[in-house]
Amino acid sequence: MSLRPYIVGNWKMNGTRAMLSEARAIDRAAQRYMKVEVAVAPPYTLIHAVHREAEQIAVGAQDCHPGTDGPHTGDVSAAMVADAGAKFVILGHSERREGHGESSEEVRAKLEAAIEAGLEVILCCGEPEKTRKSGEQEEYVLDQLRASLPDTLDQAGERLSVAYEPIWAIGTGRTPTLGDIGAMHASIRTFLVERFGEQDGSQIRILYGGSVKPDNAREILAVAEVGGALVGGASLTADSFMNIALAAGEGDDQ
Ligand code: 13P
């Protein structure tokens, strides 16, 4: 498994074919930033088109259904996104947990379906503001992970990343302190090693997400156990997104 920083753009519900020029620009820049692994998750409608443009970056989906096929109007299966060119899928994002009432049990079913379909998974977790205020954030996040992850990984550890995204930091311009990010990532690492053993548990990358921008990326990515970033708003232009990638590569433009 590559240990390069993993910088992933989550385009959320943004982007029509007009955005393909940004995807091309991201891909071209990524070819020069080889110290960093760059990926984007566009809406379903653009997965195939971005995949066709991309020579360097991986393309992913933002969700998938836990089933393989059948009467699920409006849903898309893991095999379908893989067929469209997705290499990974983001699962359990707070905007799905909150906006679509997704439980951790449902996220776990999706995760198992995605692994079965050969996809890599970025599993999201993160606490709401009131939980952070009450000081119960670690318990909350570890409970989410406990219920969203399978009991064993069966060699799939290298295909899994966890993204810690405090809900109150998403799209707000606010971030936890570096100390708070470090504390949460350390707890997640301890949990993963306890759950899956040293070998699998220590190789799962733990990304941070929530208001990552070019001007805070370098310090956040330098925190121990931060293996990359899941970026929303700042991934929508090649310029800001690739400045984050540049910061992740410590300025190396090789
Ligand atoms: P922002 O970077 O816009 O805060 O979004 C973070 C996020 O939700 C990525 O999945």
Side-chain angles (χ1 to χ4, degrees):
M1 187 193 84
S2 162
L3 291 173
R4 293 179 294 169
Y6 191 25
I7 307 298
V8 184
N10 175 7
W11 283 4
K12 308 191 179 185
M13 197 172 72
N14 296 291
T16 59
R17 284 179 296 158
M19 280 279 280
L20 290 176
S21 56
E22 293 301 323
R24 268 193 297 275
I26 290 169
D27 189 65
R28 266 199 311 273
Q31 292 175 29
R32 293 186 290 118
Y33 301 170
M34 296 301 282
K35 280 197 164 179
V36 182
E37 194 174 338
V38 179
V40 294
Y44 288 134
T45 47
L46 290 180
I47 290 173
H48 189 58
V50 174
H51 169 68
R52 284 175 58 139
E53 300 285 347
E55 288 178 18
Q56 181 65 32
I57 62 172
V59 183
Q62 301 169 17
D63 186 36
C64 68
H65 189 274
T68 51
D69 51 25
H72 304 289
T73 302
D75 283 315
V76 178
S77 74
M80 288 171 177
V81 298
D83 181 60
K87 188 178 166 220
F88 70 95
V89 60
I90 297 169
L91 293 174
H93 194 285
S94 58
E95 287 154 12
R96 298 217 52 92
R97 290 180 189 263
E98 293 200 321
H100 296 262
E102 267 184 27
S103 66
S104 289
E105 291 66 33
E106 199 173 343
V107 173
R108 175 179 168 152
K110 291 179 174 196
L111 191 153
E112 287 170 348
I115 296 287
E116 180 70 29
L119 292 169
E120 296 175 9
V121 171
I122 298 174
L123 171 65
C124 301
C125 57
E127 82 285 355
E129 184 154 30
K130 67 173 181 352
T131 306
R132 167 64 64 173
K133 285 201 167 126
S134 68
E136 288 159 0
Q137 65 278 359
E138 289 185 13
E139 212 180 330
Y140 184 97
V141 164
L142 297 186
D143 276 350
Q144 272 186 329
L145 291 177
R146 213 168 273 123
S148 305
L149 283 164
D151 298 329
T152 56
L153 285 175
D154 289 335
Q155 324 276 325
E158 63 188 24
R159 288 201 273 135
L160 179 66
S161 303
V162 168
Y164 168 56
E165 300 203 307
I167 297 171
W168 51 274
I170 295 177
T172 60
R174 295 160 58 208
T175 55
T177 64
L178 299 178
D180 285 346
I181 294 174
M184 181 63 83
H185 281 235
S187 297
I188 293 173
R189 174 66 68 209
T190 302
F191 165 79
L192 292 171
V193 168
E194 274 171 21
R195 174 86 169 231
F196 299 121
E198 181 66 34
Q199 185 155 351
D200 274 337
S202 61
Q203 70 178 344
I204 297 168
R205 270 190 291 206
I206 309 172
L207 316 180
Y208 169 79
S211 294
V212 177
K213 308 284 179 212
D215 60 3
N216 63 15
R218 189 184 302 262
E219 59 182 17
I220 290 174
L221 288 159
V223 173
E225 298 293 2
V226 175
L230 186 55
V231 184
S235 72
L236 294 175
T237 65
D239 187 40
S240 61
F241 188 48
M242 295 315 288
N243 272 316
I244 293 171
L246 194 59
E250 295 172 338
D252 263 50
D253 186 4
Q254 53 168 335

